[in-house]
Amino acid sequence: MPSRKSSIKVGFIGYGTVASGAINILRSQQELIARRLGTRIDIARVADLDIKRDRGIALDKGLLTTDAMDIVKDPEIDIVVELIGGTDHAKGFILDAIAQGKHVVTANKALVAAYGEALFAAASEKGVDIGFEASVCGGIPIIRAIKEGLAAEQINSIYGIVNGTCNYILTKMLEENRDFSEVLKEAQALGFAEADPSLDIGGGDSAHKLAILASLAFGTPVSLEDIYTEGVEKISPVDIAFADDFGYHIKLLAISKRIGDEIEARVHPTMISNDTLLSNVGGVFNAVYIDSEALGSTLYYGQGAGSLPTGSAVVSDLIDIARNIRSGSPGRVPPAAFVPAARKPLRIKPMEEIESLYYLRFMVKDQPGVLSKISGILGAHGISISSVIQQGRKAVGVVPLVMMSHRAKERDLQLALSEIDRLEYVSGATLLIRVEGEDEE
Amino acid sequence: MPSRKSSIKVGFIGYGTVASGAINILRSQQELIARRLGTRIDIARVADLDIKRDRGIALDKGLLTTDAMDIVKDPEIDIVVELIGGTDHAKGFILDAIAQGKHVVTANKALVAAYGEALFAAASEKGVDIGFEASVCGGIPIIRAIKEGLAAEQINSIYGIVNGTCNYILTKMLEENRDFSEVLKEAQALGFAEADPSLDIGGGDSAHKLAILASLAFGTPVSLEDIYTEGVEKISPVDIAFADDFGYHIKLLAISKRIGDEIEARVHPTMISNDTLLSNVGGVFNAVYIDSEALGSTLYYGQGAGSLPTGSAVVSDLIDIARNIRSGSPGRVPPAAFVPAARKPLRIKPMEEIESLYYLRFMVKDQPGVLSKISGILGAHGISISSVIQQGRKAVGVVPLVMMSHRAKERDLQLALSEIDRLEYVSGATLLIRVEGEDEE
């Protein structure tokens, strides 16, 4: 039933960075939000284990509690915002809130990626909304774009720069010709990278976001385990320089494509042409490029993290749900973008079945016959080479030998590489970077 | 009341390019749309004065009519799509449809820019929805981004490349160092420019779109007359080359900024730094860059015109309204992004009050004292110069003298120019291009 109640009441579970951003915006933009929504959104209660710390926000101390259940059970609260992170407690609180008939907003990508199906089903069954715009690319309204803006679109592919830390590191490596580890240290000092950066630089964070985006775009469950994930740790300045020679930039991309009734879903460093907009997304910024049937190319760009940008996405979900509360239309858009019964599990291609162009950097002893031996092994596996860069002799014994392949199957390539990497004049494992673009035959 | 009717029925008034695109999508993606929406969207009737022409779509001839009122008055039809263009008849049909309690979708930017206020008021009063996503930037979901994605945001400024024809011409002029008129002819031959291109190249089309965007972003009525509008006709390859020397690209930008309780709204060729994403939006593509309070920078990119991209925006509005019909929530988001009573007319700054950096190209006789005279006049009007390019002597008597100014008031600049252009050794009117960017003091 439509409700003309005088305000919408929100409870926060978790009072960290994102919650502070959202609370800041709700307070500073209260009038603006009311002018758009037609009513106020009031902060009814904020729960955190630590309610002593000063967050620099003049919030009435009486609103604070250390018990999340004070929020879940408060009959006055319309929407529960879960911002504690992690999956165990967060999942429990959200399911409890849904069971109490409350709408939910979360920024928890790990939770949505791992348990989205269960949460969405619970929300749909109870007839409440669950908003998770903040879980992917912070403030870029990408979830809303896929669920609503592109509602008429058969989506063909998604290419996302969805991790600001990796993008910052790769941008700095390119612009300043510096080493990965050195730039990572700097990013940590500047607060752009976590003390334990493995989830970011290993690609796991991007995989969480891709699982969510691909699931919405293609109407199929996509689990983390389905996503091939490779991080940026092995990229060195020499690869960035070679990429530049070929007209490419290296980005950590989250890629998902629909090919007939199958989809690909993978996260790895990728070379993309340096005349594309995506390749020019620098620093901590995020962007998602979507190719769809009628619309062709669209791209969405903005800040993917941070207190205020992510907080803004949380508040945009609160406004969206408040509109549903006021017009009596919860569940107006299904959480997974498709009506639950109309979702169709699509097969997710194992990595060895994908086809791509490849950049290969072999480290070889500089001696006659190497090029012919390596290209012979590649050829025997059906992989043909479009260009080669073999640098002149150096004082040191080991030099890079770089090849770009024509389109090839991942399985064939891996078989060839395992053979090549055993050759006595090949030093260490070959570096492989997948290349997105047209094959020039 | 929520309605679980078995399908949503749509009537089209106008069966031209955009209607063909929308009808194509509704037919080819009928199953996909139903999987997202939960019901089918059926084409009930299509009206056009010419119902004989073959549009390459196998539409049942019985659905065609030459009388738009057959659609407006059909009690079976839920949503009327107006795609005839122009303002007179279109406005009449839309108001009639609203009076009949029908929801409306339009791609008519001229109509929404000129009569949006009246149409929105009629729709709000009658409790029906009016969708106009297709009126700005074709398939880019920019209206939805402003109204919903950025609902929590105080928007500070909008910079849009919103006319594909102009962007195509400027891109070709830059890439191929060619003349405006030559590229325009080519664009006409390729179908990227109209036979009468004046609305595009004169900036009028961009002004229509800016009126709509600024009105939504800032919650104030903005009329076409409020928008200073200048086209791209005077830009020559020499300006594009000078811009490049200074690190800028020239784009036709639709700009609106909020400064306190006033806004600026203007369309003109603009120099922007060539390391921005916006400056790298090439060809017929459109993009809108928004700076807002919590989110900072976001950018939305895609195809701004064409049958399928614009048709896709029409269908996304149909799906949005169908969701409201099914959940009984028409009017869920106010058409103008703000609750009608909460809109506040803001003063729109007359052009002479704005401040900007300026690029000035004087055509001068190459003789001693010219530089000192011109910079003297500028100085007397309080305009200081940050750089000068004075090319060496040439055989011809008239050479370009180029200056970049520090931040200055438009009024002061125009006064100075009117004085300078009267000097005997200055030939013809000086070319002025506004520059967006930081002033380097």
Side-chain angles (χ1 to χ4, degrees):
Chain A
M1 284 296 97
S3 139
R4 294 293 156 187
K5 43 195 286 185
S6 63
S7 81
I8 302 292
K9 295 206 168 7
V10 177
F12 283 82
I13 303 180
Y15 192 13
T17 309
V18 176
S20 299
I23 289 170
N24 239 319
I25 294 167
L26 282 172
R27 291 166 52 95
S28 61
Q29 304 298 347
Q30 188 172 48
E31 189 216 335
L32 180 75
I33 291 168
R35 289 174 60 210
R36 290 191 177 133
L37 172 60
T39 192
R40 282 180 304 131
I41 296 180
D42 286 335
I43 300 161
R45 212 77 203 270
V46 178
D48 199 284
L49 294 178
D50 174 4
I51 58 172
K52 303 284 182 203
R53 188 154 57 90
D54 181 12
R55 272 100 175 167
I57 299 175
L59 196 69
D60 178 357
K61 293 232 175 341
L63 299 182
L64 295 173
T65 170
T66 54
D67 185 359
M69 294 312 282
D70 283 350
I71 286 164
V72 170
K73 292 191 171 158
D74 185 339
E76 291 288 301
I77 288 177
D78 302 292
I79 312 174
V80 172
V81 183
E82 180 280 305
L83 296 170
I84 54 172
T87 50
D88 272 9
H89 293 296
K91 184 183 168 203
F93 290 141
I94 289 179
L95 289 174
D96 286 346
I98 290 172
Q100 298 287 327
K102 297 194 187 313
H103 308 282
V104 171
V105 172
T106 178
N108 193 330
K109 55 196 159 275
L111 181 68
V112 178
Y115 300 107
E117 298 291 319
L119 300 176
F120 296 171
S124 293
E125 193 174 319
K126 192 74 184 181
V128 298
D129 281 317
I130 174 163
F132 50 99
E133 182 65 74
S135 67
V136 181
C137 293
I140 307 175
I142 186 66
I143 303 282
R144 205 155 272 123
I146 292 177
K147 288 171 72 168
E148 306 192 47
L150 305 190
E153 290 294 306
Q154 176 84 263
I155 293 174
N156 298 321
S157 55
I158 298 176
Y159 300 82
I161 295 173
V162 297
N163 183 278
T165 305
C166 288
N167 205 51
Y168 174 85
I169 292 173
L170 292 173
T171 304
K172 282 280 171 185
M173 287 176 73
L174 171 66
E175 286 174 355
E176 298 169 10
N177 189 29
R178 287 162 65 196
D179 270 333
F180 174 80
S181 56
E182 186 189 327
V183 179
L184 171 60
K185 264 182 217 142
E186 182 186 277
Q188 287 171 316
L190 289 167
F192 295 157
E194 308 279 340
D196 174 6
S198 53
L199 198 60
D200 289 320
I201 65 175
D205 174 80
S206 297
H208 285 137
K209 294 166 181 165
L210 184 63
I212 299 171
L213 293 179
S215 158
L216 299 177
F218 302 118
T220 181
V222 178
S223 77
L224 269 181
E225 296 71 41
D226 294 327
I227 300 177
Y228 173 84
T229 303
E230 198 182 294
V232 296
E233 309 91 330
K234 292 181 193 158
I235 305 297
S236 73
V238 65
D239 301 307
I240 290 175
F242 280 125
D244 207 39
D245 290 346
F246 288 114
Y248 293 103
H249 285 174
I250 300 174
K251 294 289 183 186
L252 182 70
L253 290 194
I255 301 174
S256 189
K257 305 181 188 182
R258 185 181 53 78
I259 296 157
D261 280 338
E262 299 185 321
I263 67 166
E264 293 179 9
R266 45 195 168 99
V267 171
H268 51 68
T270 312
M271 288 192 186
I272 47 176
S273 171
N274 60 17
D275 64 6
T276 58
L277 276 195
L278 200 57
S279 76
N280 287 298
V281 170
V284 297
F285 277 85
N286 283 195
V288 179
Y289 172 93
I290 296 179
D291 175 62
S292 63
E293 201 62 26
L295 209 41
S297 307
T298 53
L299 178 138
Y300 310 84
Y301 162 91
Q303 295 193 65
S307 174
L308 287 171
T310 312
S312 177
V314 166
V315 181
S316 80
D317 273 346
L318 290 174
I319 295 171
D320 194 52
I321 293 173
R323 283 174 166 153
N324 282 351
I325 294 172
R326 285 172 55 81
S327 59
S329 57
R332 180 180 167 277
V333 180
F338 285 75
V339 172
R343 297 178 77 214
K344 287 183 193 163
L346 299 176
R347 177 171 184 268
I348 292 157
K349 268 194 182 182
M351 195 60 186
E352 63 262 28
E353 292 180 23
I354 76 145
E355 291 188 3
S356 182
L357 312 180
Y358 295 89
Y359 161 96
L360 304 167
R361 173 170 54 80
F362 308 98
M363 295 305 294
V364 297
K365 285 194 193 134
D366 194 8
Q367 63 184 55
V370 173
L371 178 58
S372 113
K373 182 70 184 168
I374 288 177
S375 53
I377 295 174
L378 289 167
H381 286 88
I383 295 147
S384 63
I385 297 306
S386 60
S387 357
V388 176
I389 299 180
Q390 189 170 24
Q391 290 190 326
R393 265 164 216 282
K394 291 197 179 170
V396 290
V398 174
V399 295
L401 167 64
V402 168
M403 294 184 181
M404 296 290 272
S405 82
H406 286 296
R407 190 160 298 279
K409 281 216 165 66
E410 180 90 10
R411 179 189 289 120
D412 297 336
L413 193 90
Q414 296 291 357
L415 286 172
L417 290 192
S418 68
E419 230 173 279
I420 290 167
D421 285 350
R422 285 196 301 268
L423 296 175
E424 55 154 338
Y425 36 77
V426 171
S427 159
T430 295
L431 187 83
L432 164 172
I433 302 177
R434 294 165 195 91
V435 182
E436 283 293 322
E438 294 301 308
D439 196 359
E440 287 159 21
E441 299 284 353
Chain B
M1 284 295 95
S3 140
R4 294 293 157 188
K5 42 195 291 186
S6 64
S7 81
I8 302 294
K9 295 206 167 10
V10 176
F12 282 82
I13 303 180
Y15 192 12
T17 310
V18 175
S20 299
I23 289 171
N24 238 319
I25 295 166
L26 282 172
R27 291 165 53 95
S28 62
Q29 304 298 350
Q30 189 173 47
E31 190 215 335
L32 180 75
I33 291 168
R35 289 174 60 211
R36 291 193 177 132
L37 173 59
T39 192
R40 283 181 303 132
I41 295 180
D42 286 335
I43 300 160
R45 214 76 202 272
V46 178
D48 198 285
L49 294 177
D50 174 3
I51 59 172
K52 302 285 184 201
R53 189 153 58 88
D54 182 11
R55 273 100 175 166
I57 299 175
L59 195 69
D60 179 357
K61 292 232 176 339
L63 299 182
L64 296 173
T65 171
T66 54
D67 185 358
M69 294 312 282
D70 283 350
I71 287 165
V72 170
K73 292 191 171 157
D74 185 338
E76 292 287 301
I77 288 177
D78 302 292
I79 312 173
V80 172
V81 183
E82 180 280 304
L83 296 171
I84 56 172
T87 50
D88 272 9
H89 293 297
K91 184 183 168 205
F93 290 141
I94 289 179
L95 290 174
D96 286 346
I98 290 172
Q100 298 286 326
K102 297 194 187 313
H103 308 281
V104 172
V105 172
T106 178
N108 194 330
K109 55 195 158 275
L111 180 68
V112 178
Y115 300 107
E117 298 292 319
L119 299 176
F120 295 171
S124 292
E125 192 173 321
K126 192 73 184 180
V128 297
D129 281 317
I130 176 163
F132 49 100
E133 182 65 73
S135 68
V136 181
C137 293
I140 307 175
I142 186 66
I143 303 282
R144 204 155 272 122
I146 293 177
K147 288 171 72 168
E148 306 192 46
L150 306 190
E153 289 295 307
Q154 176 84 265
I155 292 173
N156 298 321
S157 55
I158 298 177
Y159 300 82
I161 294 173
V162 297
N163 183 277
T165 305
C166 288
N167 204 50
Y168 174 85
I169 292 173
L170 292 173
T171 304
K172 283 280 171 185
M173 287 176 73
L174 171 66
E175 288 175 353
E176 299 170 8
N177 188 29
R178 288 161 64 196
D179 270 332
F180 174 81
S181 57
E182 187 189 326
V183 179
L184 172 60
K185 266 183 213 140
E186 182 186 277
Q188 287 172 316
L190 290 168
F192 295 155
E194 308 278 342
D196 174 5
S198 54
L199 197 61
D200 289 320
I201 65 175
D205 174 81
S206 297
H208 284 137
K209 293 165 182 166
L210 184 63
I212 298 171
L213 293 179
S215 158
L216 298 177
F218 301 117
T220 181
V222 178
S223 78
L224 270 181
E225 297 70 42
D226 293 328
I227 299 177
Y228 173 83
T229 304
E230 198 182 295
V232 296
E233 310 90 330
K234 290 182 195 158
I235 305 298
S236 72
V238 66
D239 301 307
I240 290 175
F242 280 125
D244 207 38
D245 290 345
F246 287 114
Y248 292 104
H249 286 173
I250 300 174
K251 294 288 182 186
L252 183 71
L253 289 194
I255 300 175
S256 189
K257 304 181 188 181
R258 185 181 52 79
I259 296 156
D261 280 338
E262 299 185 319
I263 66 167
E264 294 179 8
R266 45 194 168 100
V267 171
H268 51 68
T270 311
M271 287 191 187
I272 47 176
S273 169
N274 60 17
D275 65 6
T276 58
L277 275 196
L278 200 57
S279 75
N280 287 298
V281 170
V284 296
F285 277 84
N286 282 195
V288 178
Y289 172 93
I290 296 178
D291 175 62
S292 63
E293 202 60 27
L295 208 42
S297 307
T298 54
L299 178 138
Y300 310 85
Y301 163 91
Q303 295 193 65
S307 173
L308 287 172
T310 313
S312 177
V314 166
V315 180
S316 80
D317 273 345
L318 290 174
I319 295 170
D320 194 52
I321 293 173
R323 284 175 165 153
N324 282 352
I325 294 173
R326 285 171 54 81
S327 59
S329 56
R332 181 180 166 277
V333 180
F338 285 74
V339 173
R343 296 177 78 214
K344 287 182 193 162
L346 299 177
R347 176 169 185 267
I348 293 158
K349 268 194 183 182
M351 194 61 185
E352 63 263 27
E353 292 180 23
I354 75 147
E355 292 188 2
S356 182
L357 312 181
Y358 295 89
Y359 160 95
L360 305 168
R361 174 171 53 80
F362 307 98
M363 296 304 295
V364 297
K365 284 192 195 134
D366 194 6
Q367 64 184 56
V370 174
L371 179 59
S372 113
K373 182 71 183 166
I374 289 177
S375 52
I377 294 174
L378 289 167
H381 287 89
I383 295 148
S384 64
I385 298 304
S386 60
S387 356
V388 176
I389 299 180
Q390 188 171 24
Q391 291 189 325
R393 268 164 213 281
K394 291 195 179 173
V396 291
V398 174
V399 294
L401 168 64
V402 168
M403 295 184 183
M404 297 290 271
S405 82
H406 286 296
R407 190 159 299 278
K409 281 217 165 66
E410 179 90 10
R411 179 189 287 121
D412 297 335
L413 192 90
Q414 296 292 357
L415 286 172
L417 291 191
S418 68
E419 228 173 281
I420 290 167
D421 287 350
R422 283 196 304 267
L423 296 175
E424 56 155 340
Y425 37 76
V426 171
S427 158
T430 295
L431 187 84
L432 164 171
I433 301 177
R434 294 165 194 91
V435 181
E436 283 293 324
E438 295 301 307
D439 196 358
E440 287 160 21
E441 298 286 351

